[in-house]
Amino acid sequence: MSTPKPHSKRANTIMPNKLARNSEKDLSGKRVAFLGAGKMGGIILQALLKTGLLSAKSTCATVAHPERARALSAKLKVKVGTDNVEAVQGADIIVIAVKPQVVEEVVREISSHLTPKQMIVSVAASVPTAMIERDLSENVPVIRAMPNTPCLLGSGMTAICKGKYASAKDVALTCHMFDVVGRTVVVDEKHMDAVTALSASGPAYIYIILESLAEAGVKVGLPRDIATLLAAQTTLGAARVVLETGDHPALLKDAVTTPAGCTIDGIMELEEGKLRVTLIKAVVKAAQRAKELAYS
């Protein structure tokens, strides 16, 4: 079976490309404040500093505890404190990366110190833009982004949607921020819970699959390190083929599955074990939970 020519990375990234390219110079002069530099906030902050998109001199962050602030400042060479109000003053972009249950408290704390010339980018899972806008005293642009942990290595996936007062330029600027740590897609906000369940939670599902494949390799006699390498690189390669060819996974699966060969026997076991249905149910369940968290 012939394989179509691979598409470029940009062809598979749904975003306003022209605006994103034009906004690159604009971002270089922006001051960015990260409110929360824990798991996800820390990953994004480190990745953006590493790529050079943000400079240490124009970037600051906040955390809850002074000890953590000192340690993180020494590690990243940026100003890290515990005062959110101080951090947002003079910042062009405010990234809210605190836990979802404290977003409302943080927004109320900084609200009177913001102007419409600033922009909020929230990476807090399940927090709608309307909830943030409700607690702001002015019409500050709000962008909601849902990245995932592979952003740390530049292989992330981030979905982005705009709030009531955000412009196309704001969306493009946010896309550019996250484009340097992976791929971006712009969606309607109604899809963000599904995004959370699929791509944000998705790495955990893939790790379970990888672990299982590696265990299977050990079962059939492979050393554990080799089995893990084979499973991980095979997963990476298969994902790249989907992204770069644009072919449907079912078509690619059929290309691997030769008549009366080994693969079809393995697929029959997967179908009998209901792997396909189980994965679908996992995403549906996670999406339901994301929706519940938004209104809890």
Short mmCIF file of all heavy atoms in Angstrom, two decimals, residues 103 120-134 140-146 159-166 171 185-197 287 290-291 293-295:
data_model
loop_
_atom_site.label_atom_id
_atom_site.label_comp_id
_atom_site.label_asym_id
_atom_site.label_seq_id
_atom_site.Cartn_x
_atom_site.Cartn_y
_atom_site.Cartn_z
N VAL A 103 -8.78 29.31 41.84
CA VAL A 103 -8.75 30.31 40.77
C VAL A 103 -9.60 31.52 41.11
O VAL A 103 -9.18 32.67 40.96
CB VAL A 103 -9.22 29.69 39.43
CG1 VAL A 103 -9.46 30.79 38.39
CG2 VAL A 103 -8.20 28.70 38.90
N ILE A 120 -5.21 37.68 30.41
CA ILE A 120 -5.12 36.52 31.28
C ILE A 120 -5.17 35.25 30.44
O ILE A 120 -6.03 35.11 29.57
CB ILE A 120 -6.27 36.51 32.31
CG1 ILE A 120 -6.04 37.59 33.37
CG2 ILE A 120 -6.40 35.14 32.97
CD1 ILE A 120 -7.16 37.68 34.40
N VAL A 121 -4.24 34.34 30.70
CA VAL A 121 -4.26 33.02 30.09
C VAL A 121 -4.39 32.02 31.23
O VAL A 121 -3.49 31.89 32.05
CB VAL A 121 -2.98 32.74 29.28
CG1 VAL A 121 -3.01 31.31 28.72
CG2 VAL A 121 -2.82 33.75 28.15
N SER A 122 -5.51 31.33 31.28
CA SER A 122 -5.73 30.35 32.35
C SER A 122 -5.48 28.94 31.85
O SER A 122 -6.00 28.54 30.83
CB SER A 122 -7.17 30.45 32.86
OG SER A 122 -7.47 29.38 33.74
N VAL A 123 -4.65 28.20 32.61
CA VAL A 123 -4.42 26.80 32.28
C VAL A 123 -5.04 25.91 33.36
O VAL A 123 -4.71 24.72 33.46
CB VAL A 123 -2.91 26.48 32.12
CG1 VAL A 123 -2.33 27.27 30.97
CG2 VAL A 123 -2.14 26.75 33.41
N ALA A 124 -5.93 26.48 34.16
CA ALA A 124 -6.61 25.73 35.21
C ALA A 124 -7.70 24.85 34.60
O ALA A 124 -8.60 25.35 33.93
CB ALA A 124 -7.21 26.68 36.24
N ALA A 125 -7.62 23.58 34.83
CA ALA A 125 -8.57 22.64 34.25
C ALA A 125 -9.99 22.91 34.74
O ALA A 125 -10.21 23.19 35.92
CB ALA A 125 -8.18 21.21 34.59
N SER A 126 -10.94 22.85 33.83
CA SER A 126 -12.38 22.90 34.12
C SER A 126 -12.89 24.26 34.58
O SER A 126 -14.05 24.37 34.98
CB SER A 126 -12.75 21.84 35.18
OG SER A 126 -12.39 20.55 34.75
N VAL A 127 -12.07 25.31 34.50
CA VAL A 127 -12.53 26.65 34.91
C VAL A 127 -12.93 27.44 33.67
O VAL A 127 -12.08 27.81 32.86
CB VAL A 127 -11.43 27.40 35.68
CG1 VAL A 127 -11.92 28.80 36.06
CG2 VAL A 127 -11.01 26.62 36.93
N PRO A 128 -14.22 27.73 33.49
CA PRO A 128 -14.69 28.46 32.31
C PRO A 128 -14.18 29.90 32.28
O PRO A 128 -13.93 30.49 33.34
CB PRO A 128 -16.22 28.43 32.45
CG PRO A 128 -16.51 27.36 33.45
CD PRO A 128 -15.34 27.33 34.37
N THR A 129 -14.06 30.46 31.09
CA THR A 129 -13.64 31.86 30.98
C THR A 129 -14.66 32.78 31.65
O THR A 129 -14.29 33.80 32.23
CB THR A 129 -13.47 32.26 29.51
OG1 THR A 129 -14.69 32.00 28.80
CG2 THR A 129 -12.34 31.48 28.85
N ALA A 130 -15.94 32.43 31.58
CA ALA A 130 -16.98 33.28 32.17
C ALA A 130 -16.82 33.39 33.67
O ALA A 130 -17.12 34.45 34.26
CB ALA A 130 -18.37 32.71 31.83
N MET A 131 -16.34 32.34 34.31
CA MET A 131 -16.13 32.38 35.75
C MET A 131 -15.03 33.37 36.11
O MET A 131 -15.12 34.10 37.11
CB MET A 131 -15.77 30.99 36.27
CG MET A 131 -15.59 30.91 37.78
SD MET A 131 -15.10 29.25 38.36
CE MET A 131 -16.58 28.32 37.93
N ILE A 132 -14.00 33.43 35.30
CA ILE A 132 -12.91 34.37 35.53
C ILE A 132 -13.37 35.78 35.22
O ILE A 132 -13.12 36.72 35.99
CB ILE A 132 -11.68 33.99 34.67
CG1 ILE A 132 -11.16 32.61 35.11
CG2 ILE A 132 -10.59 35.04 34.78
CD1 ILE A 132 -10.05 32.07 34.23
N GLU A 133 -14.06 35.96 34.10
CA GLU A 133 -14.53 37.29 33.69
C GLU A 133 -15.49 37.88 34.71
O GLU A 133 -15.50 39.10 34.94
CB GLU A 133 -15.21 37.19 32.32
CG GLU A 133 -14.24 36.89 31.19
CD GLU A 133 -14.95 36.44 29.93
OE1 GLU A 133 -16.15 36.07 30.00
OE2 GLU A 133 -14.30 36.42 28.87
N ARG A 134 -16.28 37.04 35.34
CA ARG A 134 -17.27 37.50 36.32
C ARG A 134 -16.62 38.22 37.49
O ARG A 134 -17.20 39.16 38.05
CB ARG A 134 -18.05 36.29 36.82
CG ARG A 134 -19.18 36.60 37.79
CD ARG A 134 -19.79 35.30 38.30
NE ARG A 134 -18.81 34.51 39.06
CZ ARG A 134 -18.87 33.19 39.20
NH1 ARG A 134 -19.82 32.49 38.62
NH2 ARG A 134 -17.96 32.57 39.92
N VAL A 140 -11.13 42.67 30.87
CA VAL A 140 -9.81 42.11 30.60
C VAL A 140 -9.95 40.88 29.70
O VAL A 140 -10.77 40.00 29.98
CB VAL A 140 -9.10 41.71 31.91
CG1 VAL A 140 -7.73 41.10 31.62
CG2 VAL A 140 -8.96 42.93 32.82
N PRO A 141 -9.17 40.79 28.63
CA PRO A 141 -9.23 39.61 27.76
C PRO A 141 -8.82 38.35 28.52
O PRO A 141 -7.81 38.35 29.24
CB PRO A 141 -8.23 39.93 26.66
CG PRO A 141 -8.04 41.41 26.69
CD PRO A 141 -8.22 41.80 28.12
N VAL A 142 -9.59 37.29 28.35
CA VAL A 142 -9.29 36.02 29.01
C VAL A 142 -9.22 34.91 27.95
O VAL A 142 -10.12 34.78 27.13
CB VAL A 142 -10.36 35.65 30.06
CG1 VAL A 142 -10.07 34.27 30.66
CG2 VAL A 142 -10.44 36.71 31.15
N ILE A 143 -8.13 34.17 28.00
CA ILE A 143 -7.93 33.01 27.14
C ILE A 143 -7.84 31.78 28.03
O ILE A 143 -7.17 31.81 29.07
CB ILE A 143 -6.65 33.13 26.30
CG1 ILE A 143 -6.70 34.33 25.36
CG2 ILE A 143 -6.40 31.84 25.51
CD1 ILE A 143 -7.63 34.18 24.18
N ARG A 144 -8.48 30.72 27.63
CA ARG A 144 -8.39 29.46 28.36
C ARG A 144 -7.56 28.47 27.54
O ARG A 144 -7.82 28.27 26.35
CB ARG A 144 -9.79 28.90 28.61
CG ARG A 144 -9.84 27.59 29.38
CD ARG A 144 -11.29 27.19 29.60
NE ARG A 144 -11.42 25.83 30.14
CZ ARG A 144 -12.58 25.19 30.29
NH1 ARG A 144 -13.71 25.80 29.94
NH2 ARG A 144 -12.62 23.97 30.77
N ALA A 145 -6.57 27.88 28.17
CA ALA A 145 -5.70 26.92 27.48
C ALA A 145 -5.66 25.62 28.27
O ALA A 145 -5.65 25.63 29.49
CB ALA A 145 -4.29 27.49 27.33
N MET A 146 -5.63 24.51 27.55
CA MET A 146 -5.53 23.21 28.20
C MET A 146 -4.34 22.46 27.61
O MET A 146 -4.46 21.76 26.60
CB MET A 146 -6.82 22.40 28.00
CG MET A 146 -6.91 21.14 28.84
SD MET A 146 -7.10 21.45 30.62
CE MET A 146 -5.43 21.19 31.23
N ALA A 159 -5.01 22.88 23.69
CA ALA A 159 -6.24 23.43 23.09
C ALA A 159 -6.48 24.81 23.68
O ALA A 159 -6.24 25.04 24.87
CB ALA A 159 -7.42 22.51 23.36
N ILE A 160 -6.95 25.71 22.85
CA ILE A 160 -7.12 27.11 23.24
C ILE A 160 -8.50 27.60 22.82
O ILE A 160 -8.97 27.32 21.72
CB ILE A 160 -6.03 27.98 22.58
CG1 ILE A 160 -4.65 27.62 23.17
CG2 ILE A 160 -6.30 29.47 22.75
CD1 ILE A 160 -3.50 28.15 22.37
N CYS A 161 -9.14 28.34 23.74
CA CYS A 161 -10.41 28.99 23.39
C CYS A 161 -10.41 30.40 23.98
O CYS A 161 -9.68 30.70 24.92
CB CYS A 161 -11.61 28.18 23.89
SG CYS A 161 -11.79 28.14 25.68
N LYS A 162 -11.23 31.26 23.42
CA LYS A 162 -11.26 32.65 23.83
C LYS A 162 -12.47 32.98 24.69
O LYS A 162 -13.53 32.37 24.55
CB LYS A 162 -11.23 33.58 22.61
CG LYS A 162 -12.46 33.44 21.71
CD LYS A 162 -12.30 34.24 20.42
CE LYS A 162 -12.32 35.73 20.64
NZ LYS A 162 -13.65 36.24 21.08
N GLY A 163 -12.28 33.96 25.57
CA GLY A 163 -13.38 34.47 26.36
C GLY A 163 -14.09 35.59 25.64
O GLY A 163 -13.80 35.91 24.48
N LYS A 164 -15.01 36.23 26.33
CA LYS A 164 -15.89 37.24 25.74
C LYS A 164 -15.13 38.44 25.19
O LYS A 164 -15.51 39.00 24.15
CB LYS A 164 -16.89 37.70 26.80
CG LYS A 164 -17.93 38.69 26.33
CD LYS A 164 -18.90 39.01 27.45
CE LYS A 164 -19.97 40.01 27.00
NZ LYS A 164 -20.92 40.33 28.11
N TYR A 165 -14.06 38.86 25.85
CA TYR A 165 -13.38 40.10 25.47
C TYR A 165 -12.06 39.86 24.74
O TYR A 165 -11.38 40.82 24.39
CB TYR A 165 -13.14 40.95 26.72
CG TYR A 165 -14.40 41.23 27.50
CD1 TYR A 165 -14.62 40.62 28.74
CD2 TYR A 165 -15.38 42.07 26.99
CE1 TYR A 165 -15.78 40.86 29.45
CE2 TYR A 165 -16.55 42.31 27.70
CZ TYR A 165 -16.75 41.70 28.93
OH TYR A 165 -17.90 41.93 29.63
N ALA A 166 -11.70 38.64 24.52
CA ALA A 166 -10.44 38.33 23.83
C ALA A 166 -10.59 38.49 22.33
O ALA A 166 -11.63 38.18 21.75
CB ALA A 166 -9.99 36.92 24.17
N VAL A 171 -5.74 35.44 20.74
CA VAL A 171 -5.71 34.00 20.49
C VAL A 171 -4.42 33.62 19.78
O VAL A 171 -3.75 32.63 20.14
CB VAL A 171 -6.93 33.56 19.64
CG1 VAL A 171 -6.79 32.10 19.22
CG2 VAL A 171 -8.22 33.76 20.42
N VAL A 185 -4.36 23.80 19.04
CA VAL A 185 -5.61 23.73 18.31
C VAL A 185 -6.58 24.71 18.97
O VAL A 185 -6.64 24.81 20.20
CB VAL A 185 -6.18 22.29 18.31
CG1 VAL A 185 -6.46 21.79 19.71
CG2 VAL A 185 -7.43 22.20 17.45
N VAL A 186 -7.30 25.46 18.15
CA VAL A 186 -8.28 26.42 18.66
C VAL A 186 -9.66 25.77 18.58
O VAL A 186 -10.05 25.28 17.52
CB VAL A 186 -8.26 27.73 17.84
CG1 VAL A 186 -9.31 28.70 18.36
CG2 VAL A 186 -6.88 28.37 17.89
N VAL A 187 -10.37 25.76 19.70
CA VAL A 187 -11.68 25.13 19.76
C VAL A 187 -12.69 26.07 20.40
O VAL A 187 -12.33 27.06 21.04
CB VAL A 187 -11.63 23.81 20.58
CG1 VAL A 187 -10.65 22.83 19.96
CG2 VAL A 187 -11.27 24.08 22.04
N ASP A 188 -13.97 25.76 20.24
CA ASP A 188 -15.01 26.45 20.99
C ASP A 188 -14.94 25.98 22.44
O ASP A 188 -14.59 24.82 22.72
CB ASP A 188 -16.40 26.13 20.42
CG ASP A 188 -16.60 26.73 19.04
OD1 ASP A 188 -15.97 27.76 18.73
OD2 ASP A 188 -17.39 26.16 18.26
N GLU A 189 -15.29 26.85 23.36
CA GLU A 189 -15.14 26.50 24.77
C GLU A 189 -15.99 25.29 25.17
O GLU A 189 -15.63 24.56 26.09
CB GLU A 189 -15.47 27.69 25.66
CG GLU A 189 -15.15 27.43 27.12
CD GLU A 189 -14.98 28.69 27.94
OE1 GLU A 189 -15.44 29.77 27.50
OE2 GLU A 189 -14.39 28.60 29.02
N LYS A 190 -17.08 25.06 24.46
CA LYS A 190 -17.94 23.92 24.80
C LYS A 190 -17.21 22.58 24.66
O LYS A 190 -17.66 21.57 25.19
CB LYS A 190 -19.19 23.92 23.92
CG LYS A 190 -18.90 23.71 22.44
CD LYS A 190 -20.18 23.79 21.61
CE LYS A 190 -19.89 23.57 20.12
NZ LYS A 190 -21.13 23.66 19.30
N HIS A 191 -16.07 22.58 23.94
CA HIS A 191 -15.32 21.35 23.74
C HIS A 191 -14.19 21.15 24.75
O HIS A 191 -13.50 20.13 24.71
CB HIS A 191 -14.72 21.32 22.33
CG HIS A 191 -15.74 21.30 21.24
ND1 HIS A 191 -16.76 20.38 21.18
CD2 HIS A 191 -15.88 22.10 20.15
CE1 HIS A 191 -17.50 20.61 20.10
NE2 HIS A 191 -17.00 21.64 19.47
N MET A 192 -13.99 22.10 25.65
CA MET A 192 -12.80 22.04 26.51
C MET A 192 -12.82 20.89 27.51
O MET A 192 -11.77 20.34 27.87
CB MET A 192 -12.60 23.37 27.22
CG MET A 192 -12.13 24.49 26.30
SD MET A 192 -10.52 24.16 25.51
CE MET A 192 -9.40 24.72 26.78
N ASP A 193 -13.99 20.49 27.98
CA ASP A 193 -14.05 19.35 28.89
C ASP A 193 -13.63 18.07 28.16
O ASP A 193 -12.95 17.21 28.73
CB ASP A 193 -15.45 19.19 29.48
CG ASP A 193 -15.80 20.30 30.46
OD1 ASP A 193 -14.87 20.87 31.06
OD2 ASP A 193 -17.00 20.61 30.60
N ALA A 194 -14.03 17.96 26.91
CA ALA A 194 -13.63 16.80 26.10
C ALA A 194 -12.12 16.81 25.85
O ALA A 194 -11.46 15.77 25.88
CB ALA A 194 -14.38 16.80 24.78
N VAL A 195 -11.58 18.00 25.62
CA VAL A 195 -10.13 18.15 25.44
C VAL A 195 -9.39 17.70 26.69
O VAL A 195 -8.40 16.97 26.63
CB VAL A 195 -9.78 19.61 25.10
CG1 VAL A 195 -8.28 19.84 25.23
CG2 VAL A 195 -10.24 19.97 23.70
N THR A 196 -9.90 18.14 27.84
CA THR A 196 -9.28 17.76 29.12
C THR A 196 -9.24 16.24 29.26
O THR A 196 -8.22 15.66 29.66
CB THR A 196 -10.07 18.37 30.29
OG1 THR A 196 -10.06 19.80 30.16
CG2 THR A 196 -9.45 17.98 31.63
N ALA A 197 -10.34 15.59 28.91
CA ALA A 197 -10.44 14.14 29.05
C ALA A 197 -9.56 13.39 28.06
O ALA A 197 -9.04 12.31 28.36
CB ALA A 197 -11.89 13.70 28.87
N ALA A 287 -14.34 13.14 30.87
CA ALA A 287 -15.03 14.35 30.41
C ALA A 287 -16.19 14.71 31.34
O ALA A 287 -16.43 15.88 31.65
CB ALA A 287 -15.54 14.15 28.98
N ALA A 290 -14.67 16.28 34.38
CA ALA A 290 -14.23 17.65 34.11
C ALA A 290 -15.40 18.61 34.16
O ALA A 290 -15.30 19.72 34.69
CB ALA A 290 -13.55 17.70 32.74
N LYS A 291 -16.54 18.19 33.63
CA LYS A 291 -17.73 19.03 33.64
C LYS A 291 -18.23 19.24 35.07
O LYS A 291 -18.66 20.32 35.46
CB LYS A 291 -18.83 18.40 32.78
CG LYS A 291 -20.00 19.32 32.49
CD LYS A 291 -21.00 18.64 31.58
CE LYS A 291 -20.42 18.31 30.23
NZ LYS A 291 -20.13 19.54 29.45
N LEU A 293 -16.40 19.21 37.81
CA LEU A 293 -15.47 20.08 38.50
C LEU A 293 -15.72 21.54 38.17
O LEU A 293 -15.52 22.42 39.01
CB LEU A 293 -14.03 19.71 38.13
CG LEU A 293 -13.50 18.39 38.69
CD1 LEU A 293 -12.13 18.09 38.10
CD2 LEU A 293 -13.42 18.44 40.21
N ALA A 294 -16.19 21.80 36.95
CA ALA A 294 -16.44 23.18 36.54
C ALA A 294 -17.56 23.81 37.34
O ALA A 294 -17.62 25.03 37.49
CB ALA A 294 -16.78 23.22 35.04
N TYR A 295 -18.45 23.00 37.85
CA TYR A 295 -19.61 23.54 38.57
C TYR A 295 -19.64 23.12 40.02
O TYR A 295 -20.66 23.22 40.69
CB TYR A 295 -20.89 23.09 37.87
CG TYR A 295 -20.98 23.63 36.46
CD1 TYR A 295 -20.66 22.81 35.36
CD2 TYR A 295 -21.35 24.93 36.22
CE1 TYR A 295 -20.71 23.30 34.07
CE2 TYR A 295 -21.42 25.43 34.92
CZ TYR A 295 -21.10 24.61 33.85
OH TYR A 295 -21.15 25.10 32.58
#
